[in-house]
Amino acid sequence: MSTKPVPDIVVARLPLYLRALTAMQSSGKTFVSSKEMAQWLGISSAQIRKDLSHFGEFGKQGMGYAVSELREKLRRILHLDREWPIVVIGAGHIGSAVAAYPGFASHGFRVCALFDNDPAKIGTSIAGLCVHDVRTLPEFVRAHGVRLAMLAVPAEAAQSVAELAVSAGILAILNYAPLNLMLPDHVRVENIDPALHLQHMTYYLG
Amino acid sequence: MSTKPVPDIVVARLPLYLRALTAMQSSGKTFVSSKEMAQWLGISSAQIRKDLSHFGEFGKQGMGYAVSELREKLRRILHLDREWPIVVIGAGHIGSAVAAYPGFASHGFRVCALFDNDPAKIGTSIAGLCVHDVRTLPEFVRAHGVRLAMLAVPAEAAQSVAELAVSAGILAILNYAPLNLMLPDHVRVENIDPALHLQHMTYYLG
DNA sequence: CAGTGTGAAAGTCTTCACAGCT
DNA sequence: AGCTGTGAAGACTTTCACACTG
């Protein structure tokens, strides 16, 4: 066995293709060429064809790709053909906004609980979700088989809370705290830090 | 002239170095080696040295880099040695959370106004900021010389609102709407889409 | 003939490894 | 000794360009 793994950078673009296909589909298109998608996404058509070729031959020569078929294929590849429960850790501004964001549910992610360590917040309800004591996180994660977490706590608390989550079985963390989490290799971490993006952009604003 | 530009991917890492240096500084360190920073950030020391070498020779052989000096140099390179006013467009969940996020002010970004098209929100105050009619955006941007915008409106509205902002003089947009903005080349756009990250991660959660 | 799938070429980015400085 | 700065090597990514197919 040991087939060469698909480069991570390619996997990262699949959700983009999925987004384009969903838009195409709702605008009634049934076939789309790599060139059209490329223009829509602002990348090259060769890249799209090469990326997709890692997973199979999805196109029809001379006419492009069947929109809904390719969309289904990508959903399966990304394991989006089922619902993913997620926990949000941290019920401050970011955690609350994240929990209320409708963009997750519409993609098959179900935010199922919020956790915090502030007694004033525990027991209250935010965006229709109960705020639990963070100490009950491991129990909850195990009981519900949750694998995904979004971490929105202050930087000082992030590392230890992340470890707690991982010890309970969390395998992937979307981290909003502005630091690098140090976690075992089997845990996938992606970071979102708007300040970093702004600092990147100001470089070009001479 | 026409010195070769620094690769964008290198520029994107400078804010990370800045973050590490700030942490080092507040923990009292005065010198730091590329190796220490590398461990802290989870990247290689060679990469840090190579990246920094694009901008000059900042280190001292045998001892590393003077923390506060390098920090100042990076701040200047990224044009963070001054305050940047920013407007937030869209006063929904995301816009409000973004406007309230303390992480911008602490990095020299000053959110100076919120804009929306909902009459029920216009005139109210969110996170201590007045919500303006989006139709007054061009006027405001010109009057205050704002160059940076964060866009947090629904996907359907994003393209046209972005064009409005650009026509008024906005040069860089941090876009939270889940689509690719099509804008003139001189405008810098960076995107934040948490759903994309989640979809990327589920690939690995077989 | 329009458009895919793909080797090969070109381009970009990272790591190596070491001369040279303190 | 300890660590930087950097060419050269290596790894990875994108683009090219065309044989092939419906």
Side-chain angles (χ1 to χ4, degrees), chain B residues 134-152:
Chain B
V134 72
R135 284 172 298 188
T136 66
L137 175 67
E139 189 187 321
F140 187 98
V141 165
R142 268 188 283 265
H144 295 76
V146 182
R147 311 259 183 81
L148 277 164
M150 295 194 271
L151 188 59

Side-chain angles (χ1 to χ4, degrees), chain A residues 22-69:
Chain A
T22 303
M24 303 283 172
Q25 192 173 43
S26 59
S27 80
K29 255 182 129 47
T30 55
F31 273 84
V32 66
S33 68
S34 58
K35 202 166 147 199
E36 284 172 287
M37 269 173 88
Q39 281 169 220
W40 209 83
L41 291 166
I43 60 180
S44 83
S45 62
Q47 181 159 80
I48 293 178
R49 294 199 300 279
K50 183 67 112 196
D51 284 355
L52 294 178
S53 76
H54 282 98
F55 301 94
E57 309 201 350
F58 303 134
K60 305 213 194 324
Q61 316 268 31
M63 32 181 116
Y65 304 85
V67 173
S68 78
E69 184 192 311

Side-chain angles (χ1 to χ4, degrees), chain B residues 166-184:
Chain B
V166 168
S167 72
I170 288 293
L171 296 176
I173 296 178
L174 184 49
N175 173 42
Y176 287 82
L179 54 18
N180 268 76
L181 296 174
M182 311 284 244
L183 296 169

